[in-house]
C-alpha cells in the first residue's frame, strides 16, 4: 500500500481531533452540560434528558428566533467506553431553541440584548427539564447539519409515554462499574454554519450510572468544543483520531485503538459530526497476507418515528480491505441505515499483523461530486512490521514544547525533496509531528541532539501536508559548530514564530550513496519563545475582576497594583459618562459583595498618579453606574490630592464592580481601600471537589474545610456532611486502615466518609463506611484494605460546620501465615494455603541453614533472632500443624 493517498478534502488530520478556529460571524458552543433529568425505566430503555448552556464566543449576534428556522437545534447523546470500545448508547430528538438570555457562564464578557439573538460573549441556559419537554423536540431527519438548514414548524411526531422523543438507552447496557459513561450535546444553526464555525459545536462530559436506579450523575467538568469521540482519546492515550472532511465541508472523525500482541484487536469508531452526505460504507486497507477474523459492527437506535431503518451493516473481507456496507444504497432507500450526523458506529476485527499508519475510506451515502473520501489511520502493517504511528504526514503526532522521544525504525518516506546536503536532497524514513506555539512571539529552536543516528529535520507552516519541493520554512542536516548539537550528526533549526502559530515538523535520516536512510531512536526538543515581555495585570478585563474583602476585617491594609500595562476595557455605559475624562483610560477591575446593607467607602488615597474611581452594579457589558469620582475634594480621606473616593449605600449579597483608572489616560501605581459592609472573599480549598482530590499518605495531615462547598451525598447513619474536602489514598499492602480526626483536636464537628475507587463516580456505589461522632465531636473509621486499591476519603462538617483539623491515617498489615512458604515450585513463593509442599520446602531451607528458615527466637512468639536453630524448626512444625 503506497503512502501517497488522495485525501477527500481533509482539513485537519492529527492524532488529536481539531475543533476549528473561530472566524467572523456566529460561533455558538456548548459551554456546559448540566442536570441530568432521570425519568427511569420505560420498557427496556432508561430515559434521560441533559441540560445545556450555550455560549456565543464569536463577535456577532447568533440568530435565535423561535417562530422561524433562524434558531439553533440541540442534540443529546449518551456514550460508553468499555473494553477498548467507545460506542453510542442512545440519542434524543432535537430541542428547538425559543429565546436567548444574556448570562455570562463562559466568562466571555456578555454584552447586548437577548431574546431573538444570543449576543457576543453571552450564554443561555436550557435546563434538563426544559430539554426533556417533549413538545419542544423535533426530529433529526429534517436537519441538514452541514448547512444548519431545516424546515419550520418541525414535525411533531406521533407517540406518547415517558420515552417518546427523549434520550434513551437500553437498560441492559447501563452497568455501574462497567467502563466509563459520557453525555454530549451539539448546537446546529444556519448562521453559525455559514460562518464556517460548525466544527466546534459539540462538548462532552462524564457521567456516572447508579447501580440500582440507573440514574445519571454528572462527573467532573464539561470538555468544551470537543466532539464526543474525543472522550475516548482523553481517557485512553493509545487512541488515534483523524478528521476526514467531505467535499461539502461536513466532518467525519475516525478513531482507532489497537490492542493485543497477535492476534491484534482493531477497534474503530467513526463519528459523523455534521456531514449531511452521511456514510454508506467504511473500509480499512489490509495487506494480502493478513488473516482477518471476528469481524463485527454496532450502531445506535433511532426511535419515536425517525424514518431510518436499523438494519445492521454487512461486511466483506478481500485480499486488500475489510469493508462494511449499509445494506441499501441511497437510490434504493433514502432512509437506509446510513451513518447520519451526530452519530457513532463501531467496526472491529482481529488480525495477526501489527499496526502501522494506513488508510481508511468512507463511502458517502448521498450523491455528490465524490463518492468516497479517505484518510490516515492505523491499519495492519503492509510490511508486517509495526511502523511508527506518525509515519504519514496526514497522521502527525501532536506534541508540546519540550523533549519528545521518537523512533524512525521501519518508517517510510512521504515528504517532498528538501534540504540538500552532501548530494542527498531527501529526508528519508520520515515521521511527522504537529506543534502549536504558545503565547509568545520570538524565535523557536528545534533540534535532535542526543539522537542515535544521522538525522535531518524540516519545519513547514500550518497543518497541511507539503507537496512541493523546497517549501520548508527551515531545514537542517548536520547542525554544525555553533549550536546545541555542535560537532555531531544531529540537526537544529532556529526560526521566527508568532503566538498561536502551528507547524508541521518532519524528522528523518540522511542517506549516503545507495545506502538506505539512517533510522533509529532519538529525542526531538522544542524550545519555544518564553518571554512575551511585560503583561497586562490579571484583572485588566472586567470579566477577570478580582474579588476584594472589607479592608476593616484585615487591619485596614490597602490593595496595591498598577495600571501602567493595563488596557482600556471599553463597554462602559454611555450615560452617565465616566468622570475624569476616563472613558478611554487604562483600567483594572475588582468586585465587592457586602455581607450587610451598609454605607461602603472606597478610595485610592496614597496612589502615585491622578486616579479615577467608578462603581457599578449589573454585569460586565451591561452596567449601571452607581458612583464615580475623579479628585476627591476637600472633605474626605484624600483631601487636597488627585486621588479619588466614593461613599455609597450598597445592598447585602449584591456584587458590585469597582473600576480603578486614571484621569484623561493617566496610569501608574495605585492603592485601593474598601471599608464597610463586612464583605468577605471565599477561597475554597484546592481539594474542595472530588475531582481535585489530594494524594494522601500515612501519618498526620493538616486540612481545612473553610469556604469549601458540598459535592458528596448524604449517607444513612452519618449525619449531614457539608463543606467537604477530598483525598485519595493509594493503598500498599493488605491489612487494616484507620482514618481519624481524633488524634489532634479540631475546631469543628467533623464527619468522615470513605469510598473505594480510583476515580470520582457513583458515590453510593463506591461507598464503604462513614462516621460522625466517634470521640466527642470527632470521627474515625477503621476498614479492611487491599494492596493496590484506591480509597477516596471525604472530610466534612456536621450540618454546616467548617474549620481546620488534622487527619491521621494508620495502617496495620494483615498477619502473615508463617507456615505458607512455597507454592510447590520450590521457589519460596507463598500461595495462600498450607500443604505438604510448604513442609518439604521448609525442611530443605532449614537443612541448608538459610536465613529464610529463621522464624522464632525460642520464645514461641514468632520473633526472629538472626540465626537458624532447632527453635525455628519446632516453631514451624507447630504453625504447620495449626494450618498457619
Amino acid at each position: 500500500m503506497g503512502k501517497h493517498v488522495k485525501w477527500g478534502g481533509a482539513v485537519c488530520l492529527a492524532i488529536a481531533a481539531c475543533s476549528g478556529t473561530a472566524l467572523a460571524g456566529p460561533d455558538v458552543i456548548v459551554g456546559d452540560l448540566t442536570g441530568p433529568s432521570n425519568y427511569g425505566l420505560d420498557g427496556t430503555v432508561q430515559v434521560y434528558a441533559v441540560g445545556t448552556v450555550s455560549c456565543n464566543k464569536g463577535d456577532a449576534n447568533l440568530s435565535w428566533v423561535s417562530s422561524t428556522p433562524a434558531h439553533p437545534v440541540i442534540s443529546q447523546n449518551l456514550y460508553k467506553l468499555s473494553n477498548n470500545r467507545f460506542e453510542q448508547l442512545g440519542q434524543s430528538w432535537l430541542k428547538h431553541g425559543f429565546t436567548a438570555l444574556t448570562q455570562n457562564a463562559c466568562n466571555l464578557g456578555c454584552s447586548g440584548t437577548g431574546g431573538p439573538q444570543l449576543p457576543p460573549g453571552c450564554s443561555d441556559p436550557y435546563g434538563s427539564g426544559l430539554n426533556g419537554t417533549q413538545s419542544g423536540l423535533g426530529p433529526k431527519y429534517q436537519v441538514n447539519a452541514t448547512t444548519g438548514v431545516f424546515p419550520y414548524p418541525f414535525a411533531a411526531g406521533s407517540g406518547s409515554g415517558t420515552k417518546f422523543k427523549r434520550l434513551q438507552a437500553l437498560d441492559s447496557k447501563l452497568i455501574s462499574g462497567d467502563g466509563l459513561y459520557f453525555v454530549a450535546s451539539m448546537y446546529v444553526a444556519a448562521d453559525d454554519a455559514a460562518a464556517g464555525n460548525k466544527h466546534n459545536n459539540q462538548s462532552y462530559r462524564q457521567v456516572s450510572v447508579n447501580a440500582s436506579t440507573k440514574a445519571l450523575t454528572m462527573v467532573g467538568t464539561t470538555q468544551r468544543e470537543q466532539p464526543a469521540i474525543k472522550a475516548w482519546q482523553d481517557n485512553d492515550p493509545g487512541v488515534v483520531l483523524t478528521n476526514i472532511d467531505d467535499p461539502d465541508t461536513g466532518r467525519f472523525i475516525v478513531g482507532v485503538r489497537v490492542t493485543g500482541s497477535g492476534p491484534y484487536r482493531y477497534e474503530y469508531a467513526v463519528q459523523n459530526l455534521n456531514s449531511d452526505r452521511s456514510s454508506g460504507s467504511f473500509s480499512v486497507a489490509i495487506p494480502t497476507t493478513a488473516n482477518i477474523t471476528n469481524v463485527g459492527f454496532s450502531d445506535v437506535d433511532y426511535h419515536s418515528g425517525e424514518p431510518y431503518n436499523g438494519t445492521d451493516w454487512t461486511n466483506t473481507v478481500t485480499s486488500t480491505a475489510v469493508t462494511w456496507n449499509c445494506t441499501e444504497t441511497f437510490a434504493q432507500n433514502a432512509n437506509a441505515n446510513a451513518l447520519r450526523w451526530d452519530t457513532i458506529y463501531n467496526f472491529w476485527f482481529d488480525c495477526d499483523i501489527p499496526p502501522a499508519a494506513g488508510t481508511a475510506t468512507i463511502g458517502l451515502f448521498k450523491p455528490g461530486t465524490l463518492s468516497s473520501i479517505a484518510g490516515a489511520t492505523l491499519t495492519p502493517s503492509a510490511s508486517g512490521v509495526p511502523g511508527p504511528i506518525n509515519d504519514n504526514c496526514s497522521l502527525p503526532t501532536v506534541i508540546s514544547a519540550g523533549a519528545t522521544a521518537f523512533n524512525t525504525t521501519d518508517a517510510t518516506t512521504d515528504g517532498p525533496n528538501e534540504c540538500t546536503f552532501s548530494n542527498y536532497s531527501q529526508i528519508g524514513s520520515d515521521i511527522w509531528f504537529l506543534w502549536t506555539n504558545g503565547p509568545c512571539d520570538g524565535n523557536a529552536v528545534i533540534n535532535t541532539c542526543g539522537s542515535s543516528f544521522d538525522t535531518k529535520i524540516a519545519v513547514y507552516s500550518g497543518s497541511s501536508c507539503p507537496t512541493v519541493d523546497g517549501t520548508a520554512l527551515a531545514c537542517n542536516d548536520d547542525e554544525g559548530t555553533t549550536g546545541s548539537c555542535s560537532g555531531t550528526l544531529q540537526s537544529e533549526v532556529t526560526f521566527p514564530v508568532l503566538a498561536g502559530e502551528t507547524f508541521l515538523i518532519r524528522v528523518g535520516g540522511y542517506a549516503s550513496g545507495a545506502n538506505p536512510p539512517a533510522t533509529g531512536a532519538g529525542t526531538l526538543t522544542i524550545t519555544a519563545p518564553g518571554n512575551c515581555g511585560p503583561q497586562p495585570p490579571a484583572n485588566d478585563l472586567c470579566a477577570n475582576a478580582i474579588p476584594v474583602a472589607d479592608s476593616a476585617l484585615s487591619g485596614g491594609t490597602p490593595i496595591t497594583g498598577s495600571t501602567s500595562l493595563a488596557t482600556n476595557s471599553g463597554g462602559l455605559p454611555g450615560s452617565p459618562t465616566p468622570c475624569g475624562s476616563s472613558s478611554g483610560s487604562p483600567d483594572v477591575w475588582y468586585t465587592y459583595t457586602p455581607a450587610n446593607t451598609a454605607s461602603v467607602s472606597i478610595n485610592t488615597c496614597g496612589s502615585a498618579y491622578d486616579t479615577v474611581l467608578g462603581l457599578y452594579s449589573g454585569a460586565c457589558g451591561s452596567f449601571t453606574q452607581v458612583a464615580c469620582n475623579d479628585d476627591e475634594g476637600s472633605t474626605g480621606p484624600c483631601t487636597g490630592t488627585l486621588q479619588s473616593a466614593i461613599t455609597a449605600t450598597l445592598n447585602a449579597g449584591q456584587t458590585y464592580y469597582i473600576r480603578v483608572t486614571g484621569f484623561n489616560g493617566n496610569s501608574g501605581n495605585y492603592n485601593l481601600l474598601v471599608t464597610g459592609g463586612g464583605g468577605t472573599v471565599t477561597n475554597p480549598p484546592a481539594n474542595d471537589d472530588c475531582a481535585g482530590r489530594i494524594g494522601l499518605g500515612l501519618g498526620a495531615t493538616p486540612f481545612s474545610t473553610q469556604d469549601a462547598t458540598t459535592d458528596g451525598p448524604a449517607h444513612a447513619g452519618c449525619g449531614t456532611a457539608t463543606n467537604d474536602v477530598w483525598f485519595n489514598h493509594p493503598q500498599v499492602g493488605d491489612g487494616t486502615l484507620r482514618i481519624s480526626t481524633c488524634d489532634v483536636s479540631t475546631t469543628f464537628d467533623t464527619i468522615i466518609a470513605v469510598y473505594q475507587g480510583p476515580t470520582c463516580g457513583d458515590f453510593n456505589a463506591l461507598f464503604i463506611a462513614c462516621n460522625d461522632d466517634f470521640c466527642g465531636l470527632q470521627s474515625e473509621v477503621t476498614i479492611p484494605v487491599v494492596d493496590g486499591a484506591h480509597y477516596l476519603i471525604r472530610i466534612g462538617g456536621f450540618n454546616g460546620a467548617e474549620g481546620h483539623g488534622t487527619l491521621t491515617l494508620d495502617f496495620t498489615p494483615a498477619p502473615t501465615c508463617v507456615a505458607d512458604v512455597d507454592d510447590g515450585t520450590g521457589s519460596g513463593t507463598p500461595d495462600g494455603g498450607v500443604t505438604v509442599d510448604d513442609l518439604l520446602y521448609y525442611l530443605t531451607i532449614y537443612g541448608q541453614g538459610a536465613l529464610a528458615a529463621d522464624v522464632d527466637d525460642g520464645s514461641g512468639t514468632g520473633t526472629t533472632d538472626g540465626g537458624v536453630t532447632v527453635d525455628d524448626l519446632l516453631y514451624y512444625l507447630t504453625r504447620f500443624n495449626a494450618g498457619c
Side-chain angles (χ1 to χ4, degrees), residues 784-868:
V785 291
V786 295
D787 183 60
H790 287 255
Y791 296 88
L792 296 174
I793 301 170
R794 172 189 171 205
I795 308 295
F798 175 76
N799 201 25
E802 57 181 351
H804 305 266
T806 301
L807 178 66
T808 301
L809 271 64
D810 292 328
F811 174 64
T812 303
T816 58
C817 181
V818 173
D820 178 21
V821 291
D822 191 60
D823 58 2
T825 63
S827 61
T829 303
D831 59 3
V834 178
T835 67
V836 69
D837 294 323
D838 298 294
L839 177 60
L840 293 175
Y841 181 78
Y842 183 80
L843 292 176
T844 299
I845 61 174
Y846 175 75
Q848 296 170 344
L851 190 59
D854 176 21
V855 292
D856 191 59
D857 61 357
S859 65
T861 61
T863 303
T864 59
D865 58 5
V868 179

Side-chain angles (χ1 to χ4, degrees), residues 683 685 701-707 723 725 741 744-750 778 795-797 801-807:
N683 186 24
T701 301
F703 70 93
S704 172
T705 63
Q706 198 72 44
D707 295 328
N723 309 103
V725 294
T741 59
V744 180
S745 62
T746 62
T747 60
F748 69 109
D749 185 354
T750 62
Q778 303 314 313
I795 308 295
E802 57 181 351
H804 305 266
T806 301
L807 178 66

Side-chain angles (χ1 to χ4, degrees), residues 409-560:
T409 303
D410 297 314
T412 56
T413 304
D414 68 330
N417 290 329
E418 204 72 74
C419 215
T420 301
F421 285 92
S422 301
N423 298 316
Y424 183 63
S425 60
Q426 255 294 357
I427 299 177
S429 300
D430 53 11
I431 58 177
W432 298 82
F433 299 91
L434 190 71
W435 170 62
T436 300
N437 182 34
C440 301
D441 299 342
N443 286 332
V445 180
I446 301 178
N447 67 54
T448 59
C449 299
S451 298
S452 64
F453 65 103
D454 188 351
T455 61
K456 292 184 73 174
I457 60 176
V459 179
Y460 303 87
S461 178
S463 59
S464 297
C465 292
T467 58
V468 179
D469 295 346
T471 55
L473 292 175
C475 66
N476 182 253
D477 179 11
D478 300 335
E479 179 271 330
T481 60
T482 59
S484 305
C485 317
S486 177
T488 72
L489 297 178
Q490 308 315 315
S491 314
E492 182 173 272
V493 292
T494 301
F495 59 102
V497 296
L498 299 177
E501 273 193 297
T502 295
F503 303 91
L504 274 170
I505 303 170
R506 179 184 178 194
V507 180
Y510 172 79
S512 174
N515 295 319
T519 62
T523 301
L524 182 69
T525 302
I526 302 175
T527 304
N531 183 6
C532 302
Q535 298 296 302
N539 57 337
D540 182 40
L541 300 178
C542 175
N544 298 324
I546 297 174
V548 297
D550 185 341
S551 299
L553 301 178
S554 57
T557 302
I559 298 164
T560 60

Side-chain angles (χ1 to χ4, degrees), residues 567-592:
T567 61
N568 176 259
S569 56
L572 295 170
S575 179
T577 301
C579 59
S581 301
S582 65
S583 294
S585 298
D587 51 24
V588 293
W589 293 86
Y590 294 91
T591 62
Y592 183 65

